[in-house]
PDB file of all heavy atoms in Angstrom:
ATOM      1  N   LEU T 200      72.744 107.748  71.204  1.00 97.00           N
ATOM      2  CA  LEU T 200      72.241 108.684  70.195  1.00 97.00           C
ATOM      3  C   LEU T 200      71.822 110.074  70.981  1.00 97.00           C
ATOM      4  O   LEU T 200      72.268 111.168  70.460  1.00 97.00           O
ATOM      5  CB  LEU T 200      70.914 108.155  69.610  1.00 97.00           C
ATOM      6  CG  LEU T 200      70.380 108.999  68.517  1.00 97.00           C
ATOM      7  CD1 LEU T 200      69.649 108.182  67.423  1.00 97.00           C
ATOM      8  CD2 LEU T 200      69.239 110.030  69.056  1.00 97.00           C
ATOM      9  N   HIS T 201      71.283 110.053  72.175  1.00 97.00           N
ATOM     10  CA  HIS T 201      70.993 111.197  72.859  1.00 97.00           C
ATOM     11  C   HIS T 201      72.135 111.982  73.289  1.00 97.00           C
ATOM     12  O   HIS T 201      72.254 113.214  73.274  1.00 97.00           O
ATOM     13  CB  HIS T 201      70.044 110.866  74.060  1.00 97.00           C
ATOM     14  CG  HIS T 201      68.680 110.395  73.715  1.00 97.00           C
ATOM     15  ND1 HIS T 201      68.025 109.507  74.521  1.00 97.00           N
ATOM     16  CD2 HIS T 201      67.973 110.573  72.640  1.00 97.00           C
ATOM     17  CE1 HIS T 201      66.842 109.264  73.885  1.00 97.00           C
ATOM     18  NE2 HIS T 201      66.709 109.913  72.785  1.00 97.00           N
ATOM     19  N   ALA T 202      73.265 111.271  73.676  1.00 98.00           N
ATOM     20  CA  ALA T 202      74.547 111.814  74.072  1.00 98.00           C
ATOM     21  C   ALA T 202      75.248 112.535  72.865  1.00 98.00           C
ATOM     22  O   ALA T 202      75.747 113.698  73.047  1.00 98.00           O
ATOM     23  CB  ALA T 202      75.472 110.768  74.663  1.00 98.00           C
ATOM     24  N   LEU T 203      75.081 111.959  71.698  1.00 98.00           N
ATOM     25  CA  LEU T 203      75.719 112.610  70.564  1.00 98.00           C
ATOM     26  C   LEU T 203      74.809 113.778  70.149  1.00 98.00           C
ATOM     27  O   LEU T 203      75.394 114.864  69.642  1.00 98.00           O
ATOM     28  CB  LEU T 203      75.674 111.535  69.332  1.00 98.00           C
ATOM     29  CG  LEU T 203      76.565 110.369  69.467  1.00 98.00           C
ATOM     30  CD1 LEU T 203      76.298 109.329  68.563  1.00 98.00           C
ATOM     31  CD2 LEU T 203      78.001 110.938  69.250  1.00 98.00           C
ATOM     32  N   LEU T 204      73.454 113.630  70.318  1.00 98.00           N
ATOM     33  CA  LEU T 204      72.576 114.812  70.053  1.00 98.00           C
ATOM     34  C   LEU T 204      72.909 116.018  70.986  1.00 98.00           C
ATOM     35  O   LEU T 204      73.137 117.132  70.545  1.00 98.00           O
ATOM     36  CB  LEU T 204      71.198 114.400  70.199  1.00 98.00           C
ATOM     37  CG  LEU T 204      69.988 115.438  69.997  1.00 98.00           C
ATOM     38  CD1 LEU T 204      69.906 115.721  68.508  1.00 98.00           C
ATOM     39  CD2 LEU T 204      68.680 114.863  70.421  1.00 98.00           C
ATOM     40  N   ASP T 205      73.240 115.709  72.202  1.00 98.00           N
ATOM     41  CA  ASP T 205      73.486 116.749  73.157  1.00 98.00           C
ATOM     42  C   ASP T 205      74.766 117.435  72.908  1.00 98.00           C
ATOM     43  O   ASP T 205      75.023 118.544  73.149  1.00 98.00           O
ATOM     44  CB  ASP T 205      73.613 116.065  74.647  1.00 98.00           C
ATOM     45  CG  ASP T 205      72.340 115.800  75.180  1.00 98.00           C
ATOM     46  OD1 ASP T 205      71.228 116.171  74.669  1.00 98.00           O
ATOM     47  OD2 ASP T 205      72.218 115.014  76.197  1.00 98.00           O
ATOM     48  N   ALA T 206      75.700 116.592  72.312  1.00 98.00           N
ATOM     49  CA  ALA T 206      77.106 117.103  71.866  1.00 98.00           C
ATOM     50  C   ALA T 206      77.050 118.018  70.533  1.00 98.00           C
ATOM     51  O   ALA T 206      78.088 118.668  70.283  1.00 98.00           O
ATOM     52  CB  ALA T 206      78.071 115.944  71.740  1.00 98.00           C
ATOM     53  N   GLY T 207      75.958 117.895  69.938  1.00 98.00           N
ATOM     54  CA  GLY T 207      75.898 118.871  68.669  1.00 98.00           C
ATOM     55  C   GLY T 207      75.491 118.157  67.362  1.00 98.00           C
ATOM     56  O   GLY T 207      75.468 118.781  66.286  1.00 98.00           O
ATOM     57  N   ALA T 208      75.362 116.833  67.342  1.00 98.00           N
ATOM     58  CA  ALA T 208      74.946 116.082  66.191  1.00 98.00           C
ATOM     59  C   ALA T 208      73.531 116.459  65.867  1.00 98.00           C
ATOM     60  O   ALA T 208      72.594 116.709  66.704  1.00 98.00           O
ATOM     61  CB  ALA T 208      75.127 114.511  66.408  1.00 98.00           C
ATOM     62  N   THR T 209      73.196 116.441  64.531  1.00 98.00           N
ATOM     63  CA  THR T 209      71.880 116.805  64.061  1.00 98.00           C
ATOM     64  C   THR T 209      71.258 115.794  63.143  1.00 98.00           C
ATOM     65  O   THR T 209      70.146 115.791  62.709  1.00 98.00           O
ATOM     66  CB  THR T 209      71.962 118.197  63.178  1.00 98.00           C
ATOM     67  OG1 THR T 209      72.858 118.148  62.180  1.00 98.00           O
ATOM     68  CG2 THR T 209      72.260 119.417  64.099  1.00 98.00           C
ATOM     69  N   ARG T 210      72.115 114.805  62.770  1.00 98.00           N
ATOM     70  CA  ARG T 210      71.721 113.720  61.927  1.00 98.00           C
ATOM     71  C   ARG T 210      72.477 112.537  62.332  1.00 98.00           C
ATOM     72  O   ARG T 210      73.625 112.596  62.789  1.00 98.00           O
ATOM     73  CB  ARG T 210      71.860 114.061  60.550  1.00 98.00           C
ATOM     74  CG  ARG T 210      71.176 113.001  59.457  1.00 98.00           C
ATOM     75  CD  ARG T 210      70.869 113.843  58.196  1.00 98.00           C
ATOM     76  NE  ARG T 210      70.635 113.040  57.199  1.00 98.00           N
ATOM     77  CZ  ARG T 210      70.306 113.341  55.853  1.00 98.00           C
ATOM     78  NH1 ARG T 210      70.386 114.794  55.636  1.00 98.00           N
ATOM     79  NH2 ARG T 210      70.064 112.590  54.865  1.00 98.00           N
ATOM     80  N   PHE T 211      72.052 111.299  61.897  1.00 98.00           N
ATOM     81  CA  PHE T 211      72.640 109.975  62.323  1.00 98.00           C
ATOM     82  C   PHE T 211      72.727 109.040  61.170  1.00 98.00           C
ATOM     83  O   PHE T 211      71.757 108.947  60.524  1.00 98.00           O
ATOM     84  CB  PHE T 211      72.030 109.485  63.604  1.00 98.00           C
ATOM     85  CG  PHE T 211      71.864 110.432  64.666  1.00 98.00           C
ATOM     86  CD1 PHE T 211      70.724 111.279  64.899  1.00 98.00           C
ATOM     87  CD2 PHE T 211      72.861 110.562  65.653  1.00 98.00           C
ATOM     88  CE1 PHE T 211      70.708 112.153  65.869  1.00 98.00           C
ATOM     89  CE2 PHE T 211      72.860 111.442  66.754  1.00 98.00           C
ATOM     90  CZ  PHE T 211      71.761 112.253  66.787  1.00 98.00           C
ATOM     91  N   GLY T 212      73.862 108.380  61.188  1.00 97.00           N
ATOM     92  CA  GLY T 212      73.956 107.162  60.191  1.00 97.00           C
ATOM     93  C   GLY T 212      73.943 105.928  61.081  1.00 97.00           C
ATOM     94  O   GLY T 212      74.872 105.840  61.984  1.00 97.00           O
ATOM     95  N   ILE T 213      72.932 105.072  60.927  1.00 96.00           N
ATOM     96  CA  ILE T 213      72.795 103.935  61.887  1.00 96.00           C
ATOM     97  C   ILE T 213      72.498 102.615  61.026  1.00 96.00           C
ATOM     98  O   ILE T 213      71.790 102.642  60.022  1.00 96.00           O
ATOM     99  CB  ILE T 213      71.672 104.134  62.899  1.00 96.00           C
ATOM    100  CG1 ILE T 213      71.898 105.459  63.615  1.00 96.00           C
ATOM    101  CG2 ILE T 213      71.545 102.963  63.863  1.00 96.00           C
ATOM    102  CD1 ILE T 213      70.800 105.783  64.741  1.00 96.00           C
ATOM    103  N   ASN T 214      73.074 101.629  61.422  1.00 93.00           N
ATOM    104  CA  ASN T 214      72.894 100.277  60.840  1.00 93.00           C
ATOM    105  C   ASN T 214      71.369 100.029  60.770  1.00 93.00           C
ATOM    106  O   ASN T 214      70.612 100.382  61.710  1.00 93.00           O
ATOM    107  CB  ASN T 214      73.501  99.259  61.694  1.00 93.00           C
ATOM    108  CG  ASN T 214      73.057  97.792  61.506  1.00 93.00           C
ATOM    109  OD1 ASN T 214      71.961  97.483  61.910  1.00 93.00           O
ATOM    110  ND2 ASN T 214      73.947  97.036  60.714  1.00 93.00           N
ATOM    111  N   THR T 215      70.932  99.512  59.635  1.00 95.00           N
ATOM    112  CA  THR T 215      69.469  99.439  59.360  1.00 95.00           C
ATOM    113  C   THR T 215      68.652  98.756  60.424  1.00 95.00           C
ATOM    114  O   THR T 215      67.654  99.263  60.955  1.00 95.00           O
ATOM    115  CB  THR T 215      69.128  98.836  57.980  1.00 95.00           C
ATOM    116  OG1 THR T 215      69.832  99.570  56.985  1.00 95.00           O
ATOM    117  CG2 THR T 215      67.668  98.714  57.833  1.00 95.00           C
ATOM    118  N   ALA T 216      69.219  97.527  60.828  1.00 95.00           N
ATOM    119  CA  ALA T 216      68.507  96.864  62.011  1.00 95.00           C
ATOM    120  C   ALA T 216      68.422  97.655  63.262  1.00 95.00           C
ATOM    121  O   ALA T 216      67.336  97.694  63.924  1.00 95.00           O
ATOM    122  CB  ALA T 216      69.182  95.509  62.152  1.00 95.00           C
ATOM    123  N   TYR T 217      69.475  98.198  63.628  1.00 96.00           N
ATOM    124  CA  TYR T 217      69.447  99.079  64.920  1.00 96.00           C
ATOM    125  C   TYR T 217      68.556 100.319  64.651  1.00 96.00           C
ATOM    126  O   TYR T 217      67.816 100.789  65.674  1.00 96.00           O
ATOM    127  CB  TYR T 217      70.902  99.526  65.266  1.00 96.00           C
ATOM    128  CG  TYR T 217      71.664  98.395  65.942  1.00 96.00           C
ATOM    129  CD1 TYR T 217      72.643  97.598  65.254  1.00 96.00           C
ATOM    130  CD2 TYR T 217      71.378  98.071  67.282  1.00 96.00           C
ATOM    131  CE1 TYR T 217      73.272  96.679  65.948  1.00 96.00           C
ATOM    132  CE2 TYR T 217      72.119  97.062  67.934  1.00 96.00           C
ATOM    133  CZ  TYR T 217      73.062  96.291  67.233  1.00 96.00           C
ATOM    134  OH  TYR T 217      73.678  95.283  67.848  1.00 96.00           O
ATOM    135  N   ALA T 218      68.582 100.912  63.459  1.00 97.00           N
ATOM    136  CA  ALA T 218      67.767 102.150  63.260  1.00 97.00           C
ATOM    137  C   ALA T 218      66.348 101.805  63.416  1.00 97.00           C
ATOM    138  O   ALA T 218      65.580 102.538  64.167  1.00 97.00           O
ATOM    139  CB  ALA T 218      67.954 102.659  61.885  1.00 97.00           C
ATOM    140  N   VAL T 219      65.821 100.761  62.821  1.00 97.00           N
ATOM    141  CA  VAL T 219      64.440 100.302  63.039  1.00 97.00           C
ATOM    142  C   VAL T 219      64.243 100.058  64.525  1.00 97.00           C
ATOM    143  O   VAL T 219      63.097 100.352  65.119  1.00 97.00           O
ATOM    144  CB  VAL T 219      64.198  98.963  62.268  1.00 97.00           C
ATOM    145  CG1 VAL T 219      62.817  98.448  62.471  1.00 97.00           C
ATOM    146  CG2 VAL T 219      64.364  99.302  60.679  1.00 97.00           C
ATOM    147  N   GLN T 220      65.232  99.329  65.217  1.00 97.00           N
ATOM    148  CA  GLN T 220      64.914  99.056  66.670  1.00 97.00           C
ATOM    149  C   GLN T 220      64.878 100.351  67.643  1.00 97.00           C
ATOM    150  O   GLN T 220      63.992 100.483  68.352  1.00 97.00           O
ATOM    151  CB  GLN T 220      66.074  98.189  67.117  1.00 97.00           C
ATOM    152  CG  GLN T 220      65.979  97.934  68.604  1.00 97.00           C
ATOM    153  CD  GLN T 220      67.209  97.212  69.036  1.00 97.00           C
ATOM    154  OE1 GLN T 220      67.746  96.136  68.436  1.00 97.00           O
ATOM    155  NE2 GLN T 220      67.908  97.457  70.247  1.00 97.00           N
ATOM    156  N   LEU T 221      65.807 101.215  67.211  1.00 97.00           N
ATOM    157  CA  LEU T 221      65.793 102.475  67.982  1.00 97.00           C
ATOM    158  C   LEU T 221      64.517 103.389  67.746  1.00 97.00           C
ATOM    159  O   LEU T 221      64.035 104.019  68.824  1.00 97.00           O
ATOM    160  CB  LEU T 221      67.046 103.239  67.735  1.00 97.00           C
ATOM    161  CG  LEU T 221      68.412 102.588  68.059  1.00 97.00           C
ATOM    162  CD1 LEU T 221      69.599 103.580  67.789  1.00 97.00           C
ATOM    163  CD2 LEU T 221      68.442 102.179  69.519  1.00 97.00           C
ATOM    164  N   VAL T 222      64.019 103.459  66.687  1.00 97.00           N
ATOM    165  CA  VAL T 222      62.840 104.177  66.299  1.00 97.00           C
ATOM    166  C   VAL T 222      61.747 103.574  67.039  1.00 97.00           C
ATOM    167  O   VAL T 222      60.833 104.211  67.543  1.00 97.00           O
ATOM    168  CB  VAL T 222      62.546 104.315  64.713  1.00 97.00           C
ATOM    169  CG1 VAL T 222      61.129 104.862  64.540  1.00 97.00           C
ATOM    170  CG2 VAL T 222      63.652 105.227  64.153  1.00 97.00           C
TER     171      VAL T 222
END
Side-chain angles (χ1 to χ4, degrees):
L200 186 148
H201 292 154
L203 293 165
L204 183 68
D205 288 348
T209 54
R210 192 156 164 182
F211 304 92
I213 304 178
N214 167 281
T215 301
Y217 281 105
V219 171
Q220 176 184 316
L221 295 184
V222 169

